[in-house]
Every structure is written in C-alpha cells, then in structure tokens.
Amino acid sequence: MKATAKAHTNIALIKYWGKRDESLILPMNNSLSLTLDGFYTTTTAEFREDLTADRFHLNDRLVDGTEYQRVTAFLDRIRRAAGRPDVFADIHSTNHVPTAAGFASSASGFAALAAAAAKAIGLQVTDPELSMLTRQGSGSACRSIYGGFVEWEKGTKADGSDSYAVPIAPKDHWDLRVAAVVLSSSEKKILSREGMKRTVETSPFYPAWVDNIPDDLAAIKQGISQKDFEKVGEIAEANCLRMHATTLAASPPFSYWHSTTMAIMQAVQDLRVSGVPAFFTIDAGPNVKVLYLPEQEKIIRNTLQEIPGVHDVTVSRPGEGVSYI
Ligand code: 2P0
C-alpha cells in the first residue's frame, strides 16, 4: 500500500478566480494553464494498518496545524472513495523548488499527493477522475495532472462530476519559456483562498470578470493552436490584469503587488516597446512570471535580473503531467 508520484506546478494564462462551491472546490470560471518543468513535488504515500492518524512530512519536516489539516481532510476523501475509512497514511513530500522564497506550490503538492495516495490505497481512477479528486485538495492542482496546455472545465453540476481538467496541447507542441521572477520580500498577506472569496462576495467588478472569460478562452485557445505568441501573450497579460483589478474593487480592497512587482511589469512593457516580445502574468502573490520565446532568453534574463528587489529568476519550459516513480 505504498506509491510515489511526481507532479509539476502550472501557471494559469486564464486565471481561476472565485468558487461557486467552497467545499467541493468548484470554480466560477474555466481556466487555462501551462504546466512548467522547473517546479515539481515528489510524494510517497504509504497506508498502514498500524497507524492511528495520518502523518505528513514536507521536505523531511513533520507538519502540523492548518497545513496538516488540509492534507488529512483530503486523505479522508481518498479513504471514502476507496471504501477504506480505517487506514491512515504516512506521507513524505519534497518540493523541488529552486529557491526558498515563494512558490510553496499547492498545485504540484496536491497533484502528487492525489496520485500517490490513490495508487497506494488501490483506487483505480482514470485521468479525469484523478483530476476531479485532486481538485478537491486545491483547485489549480487539478490542471497539473496533465502536461503542456491544460483547461479546467468549471462544469455546471452541483456534485462537481463535470469539473475537471482537459489537455489542450501537449508539452512538445510549443517551446514557450516562462521566467519565474521571485522578489526578495515576498510575504503573502492574503491567501488566495481568502482573496478570491472576498472578491466574489464584495467586488462589483467580479461579474465583469466572469463575463469576459469565454471570449478570452476562445481567443487564447486559437492562439495556442496557431502558436501565435503575440496573441497568447496579450490575452494572458490582460486576463491577469483583470483578475487583479477585481481585488482593488473588493471591500476591503487589497492588492498582491509590491513596488518591485510593478517595476517588473513596467520592464516587460518597456521590452515590448523596444521590440522584444514578452508578456507577464501574476498569481495571488507579488512574484511575476514572464512569457517569452527561446530566442529572447538572454535579454529577458539580463533585464529581469538587473531590476532592484529581484531575488531570483528561474526559467521553465513546458512540463509533463503527473507520473509514478
Ligand atoms: C490560478 N490561482 O488559476 C489562480 C490564479 C491564484 C491566481 O489557483 O482554494 O491554491 O486551493 O482552490 O488553487 C490559487 O488558488 O486555491 C490559484 P484553492 P488555489 O492558478
């Protein structure tokens, strides 16, 4: 009753922002991401008859508190699905993240945990079923089941049985690059879970966000299929800005950006003015991801590393989906 899985994190080009069901983690809108090869989690799950509670080790440290509660609540779902409410698990996870700042990566974490735990307990699942299961640990993680470009279908059913990820194009379809720019001070003040909830409940901009998604999705899927970098980059950057605009209109208002975040955004826009195609996207934190094509690697790296307040720049290529080791 032991299995090990590896999953990569993903960056959303069309963001998941807002839930219609908080318990089942059902989103208000479809989202679309690229799985990245630079950041991944490996997790070993072992279910044992002699354990009286789950144990969760992250990077060789025994975890307790909220983080542990989230993992054990997720394992409860796996136990229920497998019809084995009586067995507990020993979980060992390692986050392979090139820097200590930011990128705790619940996406790769829950995807690796779901795959390892389902296999270890003997649950036979298809990829869509695994994605659905993973979604209930963390929404964005359901996209990390697949490599390359991935869409998470929001679904319309109340039980969540039609809300899972679907592969759009494999990782070898297009050699896009994503530079993850980590800031020196990247303390995240408002967790994405709280941030999206406050936005859904209080931001008058939120309905406009939801209304705009089908147009962005249709256009970006066409851009991905045609490998039209300008089109994909423009839509991703605009979609990111719209998501962040919803937080400014929330009550009380909030923003994930630091001054360095804005300096990086400006630098990327300046690069475009000087003829270098590059676009940014930002999640629920101050770090920035920059999209570009391989031929721009040198100028992108040099430009980003020189910005004051930038701690680290790590480049990813499209990554693969979940695998078993
Ligand atoms: C995304 N984010 O699509 C968006 C963009 C942040 C901004 O998914 O509550 O950690 O576990 O479902 O997946 C972050 O939210 O939230 C996220 P839960 P999650 O990647």
Side-chain angles (χ1 to χ4, degrees):
M1 296 188 77
K2 185 174 176 179
T4 300
K6 174 181 178 184
H8 291 83
T9 193
N10 67 75
I11 176 69
L13 305 178
I14 304 295
K15 307 293 187 191
Y16 147 51
W17 195 240
K19 295 181 179 68
R20 64 184 164 91
D21 184 313
E22 285 175 17
S23 163
L24 289 171
I25 310 195
L26 298 175
M28 288 284 204
N29 63 278
N30 285 27
S31 54
L32 189 146
S33 60
L34 177 61
T35 302
L36 302 179
D37 75 348
F39 307 93
Y40 63 96
T41 303
T42 49
T43 297
T44 299
E46 184 177 19
F47 285 91
R48 288 172 25 187
E49 307 276 357
D50 63 316
L51 290 177
T52 53
D54 296 317
R55 288 196 307 221
F56 174 43
H57 303 82
L58 179 60
N59 299 335
D60 291 326
R61 185 179 57 86
L62 190 65
V63 177
D64 57 14
T66 325
E67 238 179 319
Y68 169 78
Q69 297 298 340
R70 236 181 117 175
V71 166
T72 193
F74 181 67
L75 291 169
D76 285 343
R77 292 187 188 275
I78 302 246
R79 280 186 277 267
R80 269 203 301 278
R84 293 295 310 269
D86 51 327
V87 284
F88 294 97
D90 196 17
I91 307 289
H92 284 264
S93 277
T94 307
N95 275 340
H96 297 265
V97 178
T99 167
F103 296 99
S105 191
S106 63
S108 58
F110 272 99
L113 175 64
K119 188 168 185 208
I121 208 167
L123 198 58
Q124 305 279 343
V125 284
T126 62
D127 282 350
E129 286 166 345
L130 181 59
S131 176
M132 224 181 297
L133 204 54
T134 305
R135 187 202 77 223
Q136 294 169 69
S138 184
S140 55
C142 82
R143 300 184 305 235
S144 279
I145 298 305
Y146 298 101
F149 294 89
V150 182
E151 182 175 1
W152 172 13
E153 308 265 8
K154 68 184 170 72
T156 54
K157 294 184 181 167
D159 67 357
S161 60
D162 58 352
S163 183
Y164 49 81
V166 176
I168 296 295
K171 74 178 177 68
D172 297 328
H173 169 68
W174 196 7
D175 187 15
L176 270 189
R177 300 288 160 87
V178 179
V181 189
V182 177
L183 310 197
S184 307
S185 63
S186 58
E187 197 62 28
K188 189 161 150 181
K189 283 176 295 208
I190 297 173
L191 295 172
S192 51
R193 204 163 267 202
E194 297 164 32
M196 65 174 88
K197 183 170 157 58
R198 189 191 299 175
T199 306
V200 172
E201 288 172 357
T202 68
S203 177
F205 293 1
Y206 190 74
W209 158 259
V210 173
D211 286 350
N212 178 255
I213 294 289
D215 287 350
D216 273 2
L217 262 178
I220 205 166
K221 280 157 86 170
Q222 196 181 45
I224 292 166
S225 142
Q226 296 167 344
K227 299 186 205 174
D228 181 339
F229 182 71
E230 297 276 339
K231 184 167 184 167
V232 168
E234 270 172 23
I235 296 164
E237 190 172 298
N239 184 268
C240 151
L241 290 171
R242 285 198 202 99
M243 177 199 122
H244 287 270
T246 66
T247 73
L248 296 177
S251 179
F254 63 104
S255 172
Y256 289 109
W257 301 349
H258 287 188
S259 55
T260 309
T261 310
M262 288 188 263
I264 299 163
M265 294 159 72
Q266 186 67 57
V268 170
Q269 288 172 339
D270 288 349
L271 276 170
R272 286 210 295 276
V273 171
S274 71
V276 178
F279 297 87
F280 63 77
T281 186
I282 305 161
D283 285 331
N287 298 324
V288 182
K289 281 91 180 175
V290 180
L291 301 170
Y292 61 95
L293 293 169
E295 54 267 31
Q296 310 294 351
E297 180 95 24
K298 203 168 165 207
I299 187 159
I300 296 287
R301 267 187 187 278
N302 290 345
T303 304
L304 295 173
Q305 273 159 354
E306 278 170 16
I307 298 170
V310 168
H311 170 72
D312 185 46
V313 179
T314 302
V315 170
S316 281
R317 298 174 184 219
E320 60 191 15
V322 79
S323 61
Y324 297 94
I325 298 169

